[in-house]
Amino acid sequence: MILGEDEDTAKKREAEVMAGAGKKVISPLPLVAVVGRPNVGKSTLVNRIVARGEAIVESEPGVTRDRNYFTTTWRGRDFRIVDTGGLDPVAEESLVQAIGRQALAAVEECDLVLMLVDATEGITPLDQEVAQVLRKTAKPVILVANKVDNQRREDEALEWYALGMGDPWPVSAMHGRNIGDLLDAVVESLPEAATAEEAAVQETVVAVVGRPNVGKSTLFNRLLAEERSLTSELPGTTRDAVDTLLEIDGKHYRFIDTAGWRRRSRVKKGVEFYSLVRVWRAIDRAQVVLLVVDASQKVSDQDQRIAARVKEDGRACVVVLNKWDTLKGSGRADVVYRDALEKLRFVSYAPFLRVSALTGHGTGRIMPTVDRVRRNWETRVQTSHLNDLLHRLLSQSPPPTRKGKRLQFYYVTQARTAPPQFVFFVNRPDLADASYERYLERRLRETFALEGTPVRIVLRPRRAMRENAP
């Protein structure tokens, strides 16, 4: 049972895990968990170790809520590190308890724990509670006394022996003091590295994006069959982008759960701004994007902006109409579905799935659809097949004339994949008509099964074809 979890909740979570038979969270690299009470500098330490500003850092406690994974290297040794929310074993607030459950879940799966304390404040009762919880886990622990900026504070760090957690390592995450020595101790304490075969895992990277409070984290947890991301009725519970490696029936996936995408006018400086940046990065990193839309509400301008961003970035897309169970018996289902298709028509190539993350209805179709659109996203079509199609299209529907001149097509080839880009060599690209380009795209999709992926059409003059000839 996880800290703060009653027996009924524990049984429900175990049932969900059993329902996810064939699924397992994987990591070919050793895992280090950074834990401690709130506001001792855990995210600052993680950023220092990974040498980039990945974890969101703010002076207010409770900014980190989910557990966030990063990969880093020290002295030729690769390992993963997980940043966690503040651990407060005596908290009564439900959100704080949930954050604590996430931290304890990270401890359960890790190979080594870094317990972080604030050397400027001395031992607090909460530090003692955290130490007691970690002792019960039987995990190897390195005690790290943070905010040690000078020799005097380093000498004072000896008081942390009183916690009974072994030798304290005095560091300054902010200024980098003694971080190298700490990392030497970390890599010496890690288990043997995974074999090259285990590490060479081909992943499908899936980003879960959408407006705040549309059920992204609930869907994320449903797919993973465990409480991996924090869910709450309060919009904006997820702030960081959260990575999880998952194996389903021998296939490997990296899921990225993201904070809700807010309107720019509502994004303030600080935490929410960096959360928005994480959404952009998540889309950039993904191969497939699950765009989650609240079916109980109309498709909003924000939904359209997110979809436009996904298309602009050239990512494969699946539109997930969540909370479909709320439409049962209302007679609105067909109207809502048609409205979604109309307002998101510029990603009409994406599959539209009607699901309920809460009940699980329809969620079984998501992973097969992800696999299908990822294959389509990476499709490569033989040049001979493309030119056979081009000849048929020109004979069936030749391009219209413009100013007395007709656009002539000579040859077509696929220039790249992910997403597919097709280059048509013509006499004069300026004679192209947008409607005819849409016609070409539609027929390419129909002929070569390109559901779920953007298709790029490029027109080049014939001289470019000659210049590219061998």
Side-chain angles (χ1 to χ4, degrees):
M1 185 180 295
I2 296 176
L3 182 72
E5 185 175 65
D6 59 35
E7 186 174 353
D8 290 341
T9 303
K11 289 180 178 178
K12 181 179 178 182
R13 180 172 58 83
E14 290 170 5
E16 287 179 345
V17 172
M18 292 303 295
K23 303 180 182 180
K24 63 177 180 178
V25 177
I26 61 168
S27 175
L29 298 176
L31 180 63
V32 178
V34 180
V35 302
R37 63 179 175 84
N39 215 31
V40 293
K42 295 182 293 297
S43 295
T44 303
L45 178 64
V46 169
N47 282 339
R48 174 65 63 178
I49 290 174
V50 302
R52 57 187 187 272
E54 292 286 0
I56 299 177
V57 179
E58 282 286 315
S59 58
E60 62 176 291
V63 168
T64 302
R65 296 175 176 181
D66 293 303
R67 50 196 206 269
N68 308 307
Y69 295 75
F70 311 101
T71 301
T72 191
T73 301
W74 182 254
R75 297 194 183 281
R77 184 70 191 277
D78 294 336
F79 62 94
R80 302 184 77 217
I81 188 165
V82 53
D83 185 24
T84 67
L87 187 56
D88 187 350
V90 297
E92 297 182 357
E93 296 87 350
S94 60
L95 184 58
V96 177
Q97 289 179 350
I99 293 171
R101 289 198 297 271
Q102 290 294 311
L104 264 292
V107 172
E108 287 181 2
E109 65 178 329
C110 77
D111 301 290
L112 175 68
V113 178
L114 299 185
M115 177 184 168
L116 203 63
V117 295
D118 187 341
T120 65
E121 296 185 8
I123 299 175
T124 69
L126 193 49
D127 290 318
Q128 294 173 329
E129 292 284 347
V130 172
Q132 181 64 21
V133 169
L134 293 179
R135 272 192 288 270
K136 292 179 180 179
T137 67
K139 293 282 186 175
V141 178
I142 294 178
L143 178 62
V144 182
N146 190 28
K147 305 182 185 180
V148 177
D149 301 324
N150 52 54
Q151 188 60 47
R152 179 181 61 80
R153 283 187 176 170
E154 188 165 331
D155 295 338
E156 293 173 351
L158 297 176
E159 71 171 289
W160 292 96
Y161 276 102
L163 276 181
M165 303 298 289
D167 298 336
W169 285 83
V171 306
S172 171
M174 179 67 72
H175 300 105
R177 182 183 175 91
N178 294 336
I179 295 296
D181 293 338
L182 172 63
L183 288 174
D184 286 343
V186 166
V187 296
E188 289 174 5
S189 303
L190 292 176
E192 290 298 317
T195 65
E197 186 175 300
E198 291 173 321
V201 173
Q202 184 178 14
E203 302 170 352
T204 297
V205 184
V206 183
V208 185
V209 304
R211 293 186 293 116
N213 215 32
V214 295
K216 296 185 300 300
S217 293
T218 303
L219 177 65
F220 187 60
N221 293 336
R222 172 68 63 175
L223 294 174
L224 271 59
E226 66 160 334
E227 186 183 359
R228 175 61 184 79
S229 274
L230 199 58
T231 56
S232 170
E233 293 300 319
L234 179 67
T237 301
T238 301
R239 286 175 172 176
D240 277 299
V242 182
D243 278 27
T244 295
L245 290 172
L246 187 68
E247 181 182 337
I248 303 177
D249 299 328
K251 299 176 183 177
H252 298 86
Y253 303 87
R254 181 184 295 272
F255 277 89
I256 313 170
D257 185 23
T258 64
W261 182 306
R262 298 177 182 274
R263 294 182 182 178
R264 287 185 177 273
S265 60
R266 296 182 181 177
V267 176
K268 300 177 182 178
K269 293 182 178 179
V271 173
E272 290 200 355
F273 171 78
Y274 290 110
S275 293
L276 180 57
V277 172
R278 299 300 188 273
V279 177
W280 295 341
R281 289 182 180 176
I283 294 174
D284 290 342
R285 290 170 53 201
Q287 296 161 323
V288 180
V289 174
L290 295 182
L291 171 55
V292 184
V293 176
D294 186 345
S296 67
Q297 304 176 11
K298 291 184 177 180
V299 173
S300 70
D301 292 344
Q302 276 309 94
D303 294 319
Q304 293 175 314
R305 290 190 184 97
I306 298 170
R309 174 81 185 205
V310 174
K311 181 178 182 179
E312 179 185 343
D313 278 10
R315 302 300 179 243
C317 182
V318 178
V319 177
V320 179
L321 301 175
N322 191 28
K323 306 185 184 182
W324 199 258
D325 54 309
T326 63
L327 302 178
K328 188 176 181 180
S330 67
R332 296 175 50 234
D334 289 343
V335 174
V336 169
Y337 188 67
R338 289 196 300 270
D339 179 70
L341 289 175
E342 171 60 25
K343 290 184 177 177
L344 297 175
R345 58 187 177 277
F346 47 90
V347 289
S348 59
Y349 53 81
F352 282 63
L353 303 183
R354 290 160 280 192
V355 310
S356 169
L358 189 62
T359 67
H361 171 75
T363 56
R365 293 180 294 155
I366 292 178
M367 295 314 300
T369 304
V370 166
D371 291 339
R372 186 171 70 254
V373 301
R374 192 240 164 121
R375 287 194 301 271
N376 296 344
W377 188 65
E378 295 178 332
T379 290
R380 181 167 289 281
V381 183
Q382 292 184 19
T383 301
S384 58
H385 293 168
L386 287 171
N387 283 280
D388 287 344
L389 174 64
L390 177 61
H391 294 151
R392 290 199 304 272
L393 297 184
L394 293 176
S395 61
Q396 294 170 3
S397 179
T401 59
R402 184 177 179 185
K403 297 180 179 179
K405 297 183 179 180
R406 185 182 298 277
L407 180 67
Q408 296 181 18
F409 287 80
Y410 302 110
Y411 184 77
V412 59
T413 188
Q414 184 173 354
R416 63 184 63 179
T417 64
Q421 182 185 90
F422 301 97
V423 179
F424 292 82
F425 293 95
V426 300
N427 58 338
R428 286 181 53 182
D430 60 300
L431 296 176
D433 178 83
S435 63
Y436 198 76
E437 289 188 38
R438 289 194 295 270
Y439 166 70
L440 292 174
E441 178 183 339
R442 185 171 65 255
R443 294 302 304 273
L444 283 167
R445 290 187 180 283
E446 293 171 353
T447 306
F448 302 114
L450 297 176
E451 178 193 31
T453 177
V455 170
R456 308 288 198 229
I457 302 291
V458 178
L459 302 183
R460 289 183 181 169
R462 181 166 52 179
R463 63 176 178 274
M465 181 174 68
R466 293 169 178 166
E467 292 169 359
N468 292 333

